[in-house]
Amino acid sequence: MGSTQIKDVMSSRVEVIESHTVLTDAARKMRDQDVGALPVSNNDKLVGMVTDRDIAIRAVAESKDPLTETVQNVMTGGIEYCFDDQPIGDVSEMMGAKQLRRLPVLNRDKRLVGIVSLGDISVKGSTSEAGKTLESVSEP
């Protein structure tokens, strides 16, 4: 599977949320899309990721009002990403090293074209790659 590229296993149907969106709307979008994370944009630029865990830990647990608190205040910034033409092995290795379970996928024009998760690599790619990545991601 060494020649398989991320575009062959990624989910190309990916929703983006604006950084100024309130958390209630973000949570509804996650529910409706059946996802646990959304890439965050600001003026058409990818600026972070927000997860269901971000909302729970950084907002709800801190008693922030999800009707007024915005995504930008709880998201994880400094976003990591990969390119759609990168080999699965390279991306899997990067995910393990940086302990990431999901990663936005960009084309070479730096436009968002998908998202790849550990599950995508496991189900559609190499189970041995997924196993190594999961082991790395799960390390404390």
Side-chain angles (χ1 to χ4, degrees):
M1 293 230 102
S3 64
T4 304
Q5 296 177 333
I6 284 300
K7 64 183 166 190
D8 299 322
V9 299
M10 72 180 191
S11 299
S12 57
R13 194 166 170 255
V14 60
E15 292 286 327
V16 177
I17 195 158
E18 290 292 323
S19 62
H20 59 77
T21 305
V22 294
L23 297 180
T24 304
D25 291 342
R28 284 188 186 119
K29 191 168 195 173
M30 287 179 190
R31 178 200 62 200
D32 294 347
Q33 297 296 318
D34 193 27
V35 297
L38 293 168
V40 180
S41 70
N42 189 2
N43 296 323
D44 203 31
K45 182 178 183 232
L46 203 55
V47 294
M49 290 281 283
V50 66
T51 66
D52 46 9
R53 187 172 194 283
D54 291 333
I55 293 171
I57 302 301
R58 295 179 181 163
V60 176
E62 297 296 325
S63 300
K64 293 181 180 175
D65 184 354
L67 295 170
T68 59
E69 191 67 44
T70 61
V71 167
Q72 78 181 30
N73 293 325
V74 301
M75 73 178 195
T76 300
I79 193 162
E80 299 287 339
Y81 59 88
C82 66
F83 291 108
D84 61 352
D85 60 357
Q86 285 184 264
I88 285 181
D90 292 355
V91 174
S92 182
E93 188 175 304
M94 179 177 68
M95 290 173 75
K98 297 186 182 219
Q99 295 190 308
L100 302 169
R101 294 182 183 273
R102 58 185 70 85
L103 204 54
V105 181
L106 308 180
N107 64 19
R108 290 295 172 172
D109 294 325
K110 291 207 171 176
R111 304 295 297 171
L112 182 69
V113 295
I115 195 161
V116 67
S117 70
L118 187 55
D120 293 328
I121 292 172
S122 176
V123 171
K124 302 173 192 169
S126 164
T127 53
S128 64
E129 288 291 346
K132 287 188 281 187
T133 304
L134 179 58
E135 187 177 327
S136 297
V137 166
S138 300
E139 288 177 358

